[in-house]
């Protein structure tokens, strides 16, 4: 969705909302998540005050085209290994993640994969029985 073909003032709103959800979850675990534009600057030395401007200034993004199929490792890996565990941490902390939940639901439906069960869950990484406080302690060791 955020390849050059799909990046616009409207689609970046989805990314900004998901980023706010990530930041709220990070705060719940005393693990601050920098704003997207700041992250892009840290990793790529990009310019721009807004997420859209920052993403448009990332040189590698200008040549990477979107996958031609939903059956692609980018989708599978991003949803199962990033979005699913983030929402599991969010639930444990009582943080709502409506945008990220919607993306997981859409991706699951469109790709015929139940990412909630096949993705990286708290139980799958051995944290299923931990409370939010216990997870926060593990993360902050």
């Amino acid at each position: 969705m955020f390849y050059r073909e799909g990046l616009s003032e409207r689609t970046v709103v989805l990314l900004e909302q998901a980023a706010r959800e990530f930041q709220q979850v990070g705060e719940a675990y005393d693990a601050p998540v920098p704003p997207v534009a700041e992250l892009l600057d840290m990793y790529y030395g990009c310019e721009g005050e807004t997420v859209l401007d920052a993403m448009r200034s990332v040189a590698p993004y200008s040549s990477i085209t979107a996958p031609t199929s939903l059956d692609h490792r980018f989708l599978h890996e991003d949803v199962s290994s990033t979005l699913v565990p983030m929402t599991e941490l969010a639930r444990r902390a009582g943080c709502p993640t409506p945008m990220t939940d919607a993306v997981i639901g859409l991706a699951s439906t469109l790709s015929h994969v139940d990412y909630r069960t096949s993705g990286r869950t708290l139980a799958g990484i051995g944290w299923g029985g931990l409370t939010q406080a216990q997870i926060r302690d593990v993360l902050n060791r």
Side-chain angles (χ1 to χ4, degrees), residues 6 14 24 27 42-43 59 63 66 74 77 82 88 106 110 139:
L14 302 173
Q24 290 172 350
E27 288 172 15
M42 286 175 15
Y43 291 122
S63 61
F74 291 171
E77 291 173 4
T82 302
E88 292 225 336
L106 287 169
L110 293 171
L139 293 173

Side-chain angles (χ1 to χ4, degrees), residues 77-91:
E77 291 173 4
D78 286 352
V79 175
S80 66
S81 299
T82 302
L83 301 184
V84 168
M86 192 279 286
T87 59
E88 292 225 336
L89 288 168
R91 278 195 192 89

Side-chain angles (χ1 to χ4, degrees), residues 28 39 52 76 84 86 92-93 107 116 126:
L39 282 171
L52 182 59
H76 298 307
V84 168
M86 192 279 286
R92 192 63 48 97
R116 292 267 180 218

